[in-house]
Amino acid sequence: LLLVPIFGTEQVGLLGMALLLGFAPISMITKAIYQVLYQHVTECVHTKKPIIHLLKRFIIGTTLVAVPVFAILGIVLPELTSWLLGNAWYISGEYIRWMLPWLWLSLLTGSICFLSDVFMQQRIGFYFEVLLALCRVAGLLLGIWNDSFVWAIAAYAIGTTIAVAAQLIWLLTLASKYDKQLRA
């Protein structure tokens, strides 16, 4: 809504459609994986069993499936959105292209974000949310400063990707530290 006065309702509407098309399937998949992983990981933690191997298997398996799918989507997205929704929506496919790394990392991170709760590290998790907000605002401001909606979307997606990647690394570090404590 804050971008409408600067870039207009048409551009922001196309972005809204891109976000919907990109995140609706990712959200459904992430919720399903989250429930399964949460159950397995909390059971392992309560019985003092290692978890990093389970998480690594999840990340590798998901990456082996997601990266080829996302690579193909990266090639056909504008044409696909144009074919599904009409020629006016072609640019939404372009916007989703910028979001693909962010979508992939959101799939991974969103599925294991419960680790901050399991290990009582919500404060640090909050700091990652602040980092995410700052990266997003910086991206939008960069686009506004350059008077380019494409710059705003690209910088927003890149900043979000960096913040989500940092959060994923931190979550995996939590799991790794837990496993090391078990071996000690």
Side-chain angles (χ1 to χ4, degrees):
L1 292 175
L2 297 173
L3 294 176
V4 170
I6 299 164
F7 295 113
T9 55
E10 182 180 343
Q11 292 291 347
V12 175
L14 292 169
L15 173 63
M17 181 57 80
L19 289 168
L20 177 67
L21 291 173
F23 278 98
I26 295 298
S27 293
M28 288 188 332
I29 295 167
T30 299
K31 285 178 186 176
I33 295 170
Y34 177 101
Q35 291 173 350
V36 172
L37 280 177
Y38 178 75
Q39 182 181 6
H40 286 295
V41 168
T42 54
E43 184 179 310
C44 286
V45 169
H46 287 292
T47 58
K48 305 232 185 282
K49 294 180 182 172
I51 60 171
I52 196 70
H53 67 282
L54 174 69
L55 297 174
K56 284 182 179 178
R57 223 173 49 230
F58 157 70
I59 288 174
I60 291 168
T62 303
T63 299
L64 288 174
V65 172
V67 168
V69 169
F70 284 17
I72 292 167
L73 284 173
I75 296 167
V76 301
L77 265 169
E79 290 80 16
L80 184 62
T81 55
S82 180
W83 178 73
L84 287 171
L85 304 171
N87 290 337
W89 297 97
Y90 181 90
I91 195 72
S92 289
E94 291 284 342
Y95 294 156
I96 299 171
R97 275 185 177 165
W98 282 103
M99 297 178 200
L100 287 174
W102 164 22
L103 291 168
W104 167 61
L105 287 170
S106 292
L107 177 62
L108 298 177
T109 305
S111 298
I112 65 170
C113 64
F114 60 82
L115 289 173
S116 63
D117 295 334
V118 169
F119 296 117
M120 307 299 265
Q121 296 292 321
Q122 294 93 338
R123 178 180 289 164
I124 297 173
F126 170 74
Y127 295 146
F128 278 102
E129 293 300 319
V130 171
L131 173 65
L132 181 63
L134 292 173
C135 286
R136 288 176 169 175
V137 168
L140 293 176
L141 290 174
L142 182 64
I144 291 168
W145 183 65
N146 284 302
D147 195 30
S148 169
F149 192 70
V150 173
W151 268 80
I153 300 312
Y156 183 93
I158 291 167
T160 301
T161 300
I162 291 167
V164 173
Q167 184 180 21
L168 178 62
I169 291 167
W170 171 68
L171 290 168
L172 292 173
T173 301
L174 284 177
S176 184
K177 285 181 181 178
Y178 165 77
D179 280 12
K180 284 180 184 175
Q181 287 176 339
L182 287 179
R183 289 189 296 255

